[in-house]
Amino acid sequence: MKLKRVVVTGLGALTPIGNNIDEYWDGLVNGKSGAAPITHFDAAKFKTRFACEVKNFDINEYIHRKESRKMDKFTQYAMVVSDQAIENSKLDLETLDPDRVGVIWGCGIGGIDTFEQEVVNYANGDGTPKYNPFFIPKMIADIAPGHISMKYGFRGPNFTTVSACASSANAIIDALNYIRLGHADIIVTGGSEASVTGAAMGGFNALKALSERNDDPATASRPFDKDRDGFVMGEGGGALILEEYEHAVARGAKIYCEVAGGGLSADAHHLTAPHPEGLGAAKVMENCLENAGLSIEDVDTINVHGTSTPLGDVAELKAIQKIFGEHAYKLNINSTKSMTGHLLGAAGAIEAIASVLAMENGMVPPTINHHVLDEKIDPKLNLTLNKAQKREIKVAMSNTFGFGGHNACVLFKKLEA
């Protein structure tokens, strides 16, 4: 069976550095930090009192209050970015076959804000179980693609992929494969997360995973820097319209790029820490290249997982050098988490979008907040430090790794007719 080609025809983004694609790209190339003191709750007693929140956002400007009240914030974000992507793709909803359009979403945690509020309300009550009737459908991680499909009437494949911080990259790969195999013509894919809550921040603090640089939040996310002390929590979402190539050509769609392939692997090592030699990370990149039918020399850039944790950054760079050898020194390597923070289950989506936009604009966004190189990191690697770099990009790789050792890698390439 000959696999169908898959292309990207629409994008949507709601991030800590921009509430649409244009704002997001502007923030990326200008090295904008999205980190600031937390406003969603009183964090005065927390070890970490800052995060990368979505800013200047009112869901009631997008969705009627009666409907938005039935959604956790992570679903609200999903609705906004999917609307953006569908509009950006210029899909004619009147002529589409709804049975051939699916929604495959990624989310690592789901409605933690809803869960937290409902449990606290119960605990503060007299023991009488008074729960919101929408408690469960607001909380469950699979509900976002359900809402998207109901709004648009899309009746194709519909589910959520959950693999911690790799979730939305996994969702993109799932969408790629469903179209490749002929199960759909179009899939709305991506991910969303809304975990700037007391429970999430407290939990990640207990794991000692978060930066505690409260005196200077804007520079706290500093991948590869010697003084990095953990990741910065982010929130938001990203959506991509993946479409079968011939279908996109037939309707005259703007095609951003081709989705060349996807790879998956497991570290099989530790609950939260990566393998110290990056074995799983190396394997996922190897698998992705093989799946795409590309060689190491074809790759121009890698948007790395690069969370700004002491162990993770070093392990990923070791993996890159293991797989790419001398070609590693010809790559532009960057971590956009230095600007957006870590969007957990939505990270793969917004970083895939960053890779697509970098290819379209011939510009690699920087890794900001870098001051002193870690002596464990090879100084000959081009980590695109502090300033965007112009470059023609024909093939871009995006890495996303999750707690539990889940690894996902996606390759995008310029379209060749």
Side-chain angles (χ1 to χ4, degrees):
M1 176 182 175
K2 184 177 180 181
L3 296 178
K4 297 178 182 294
R5 295 171 69 187
V6 181
V7 294
V8 177
T9 58
L11 300 171
L14 180 62
T15 78
I17 60 171
N19 292 359
N20 56 52
I21 287 296
D22 291 338
E23 289 181 3
Y24 177 44
W25 177 246
D26 184 70
L28 287 174
V29 293
N30 287 295
K32 180 180 179 181
S33 173
I38 290 171
T39 64
H40 290 343
F41 68 95
D42 183 0
K45 295 182 178 180
F46 282 70
K47 291 180 181 178
T48 297
R49 300 185 290 277
F50 61 93
C52 287
E53 298 176 332
V54 171
K55 301 165 185 68
N56 304 313
F57 175 77
D58 180 359
I59 188 58
N60 297 309
E61 294 179 5
Y62 300 88
I63 303 173
H64 192 280
R65 180 171 173 77
K66 182 180 179 181
E67 293 302 313
S68 68
R69 289 175 65 187
K70 301 175 185 176
M71 304 174 189
D72 184 87
K73 197 178 293 182
F74 91 96
T75 300
Q76 295 174 0
Y77 292 165
M79 296 300 290
V80 171
V81 296
S82 60
D83 286 349
Q84 288 181 8
I86 289 167
E87 181 179 357
N88 182 247
S89 71
K90 294 182 169 55
L91 288 170
D92 185 348
L93 300 175
E94 298 298 320
T95 61
L96 287 179
D97 178 355
D99 293 324
R100 300 287 299 170
V101 185
V103 186
I104 300 179
W105 208 247
C107 184
I109 294 180
I112 190 170
D113 187 43
T114 294
F115 183 82
E116 183 178 329
Q117 289 179 29
E118 292 294 323
V119 171
V120 168
N121 288 342
Y122 174 71
N124 289 337
D126 62 3
T128 303
K130 296 178 180 178
Y131 288 96
N132 187 314
F134 293 102
F135 172 27
I136 299 303
K138 285 176 69 175
M139 178 191 73
I140 52 180
D142 73 294
I143 205 67
H147 275 288
I148 296 167
S149 68
M150 286 183 278
K151 176 173 182 176
Y152 289 101
F154 298 153
R155 297 195 295 263
N158 188 282
F159 59 89
T160 289
T161 301
V162 179
S163 52
C165 303
S167 296
S168 53
N170 267 130
I172 293 168
I173 295 168
D174 283 343
L176 165 67
N177 288 331
Y178 271 73
I179 297 173
R180 273 178 164 177
L181 294 170
H183 299 308
D185 297 324
I186 298 168
I187 291 182
V188 182
T189 190
S192 56
E193 202 81 89
S195 297
V196 183
T197 75
M201 295 296 295
F204 278 101
N205 267 149
L207 279 173
K208 302 187 183 303
L210 296 178
S211 170
E212 298 178 16
R213 203 178 295 276
N214 295 296
D215 58 335
D216 191 10
T219 70
S221 185
R222 46 177 71 189
F224 318 127
D225 189 87
K226 181 180 180 180
D227 297 324
R228 65 194 183 280
D229 68 331
F231 76 81
V232 177
M233 184 72 79
E235 64 169 0
L240 302 89
I241 305 299
L242 267 55
E243 189 167 353
E244 193 272 323
Y245 171 69
E246 298 291 348
H247 189 279
V249 170
R251 70 178 184 88
K254 173 184 175 177
I255 296 175
Y256 284 93
C257 64
E258 185 167 1
V259 189
L264 304 170
S265 78
D267 278 1
H269 172 69
H270 189 272
L271 281 176
T272 58
H275 191 284
E277 297 302 315
L279 296 187
K283 190 62 180 177
V284 79
M285 289 184 281
E286 180 182 352
N287 290 345
C288 191
L289 287 163
E290 181 179 356
N291 183 260
L294 295 173
S295 69
I296 58 172
E297 290 81 9
D298 292 321
V299 180
D300 299 301
T301 68
I302 305 178
N303 191 326
V304 294
H305 187 57
T307 58
S308 185
T309 58
L311 297 177
D313 292 359
V314 172
E316 186 172 9
L317 293 181
K318 283 183 179 179
I320 289 171
Q321 290 188 277
K322 178 180 179 180
I323 294 300
F324 288 88
E326 287 297 312
H327 186 68
Y329 300 119
K330 299 178 182 179
L331 296 167
N332 267 93
I333 298 167
N334 69 323
S335 173
T336 50
K337 286 187 181 74
S338 60
M339 295 172 276
T340 66
H342 190 357
L343 271 66
L344 306 183
I350 67 162
E351 289 159 22
I353 291 168
S355 295
V356 172
L357 293 174
M359 184 180 299
E360 183 181 40
N361 292 283
M363 183 76 72
V364 182
T367 305
I368 68 168
N369 298 328
H370 192 272
H371 304 282
V372 181
L373 186 68
D374 187 334
E375 59 270 12
K376 297 176 183 177
I377 293 174
D378 189 337
K380 294 187 291 182
L381 292 170
N382 180 3
L383 303 176
T384 321
L385 299 176
N386 296 320
K387 187 176 180 180
Q389 295 178 14
K390 291 183 178 180
R391 176 165 185 164
E392 181 184 6
I393 303 169
K394 293 183 178 179
V395 176
M397 176 178 278
S398 182
N399 285 342
T400 318
F401 311 143
F403 280 0
H406 311 299
N407 305 311
C409 177
V410 187
L411 273 164
F412 301 93
K413 69 176 182 179
K414 278 196 171 179
L415 185 67
E416 298 175 0

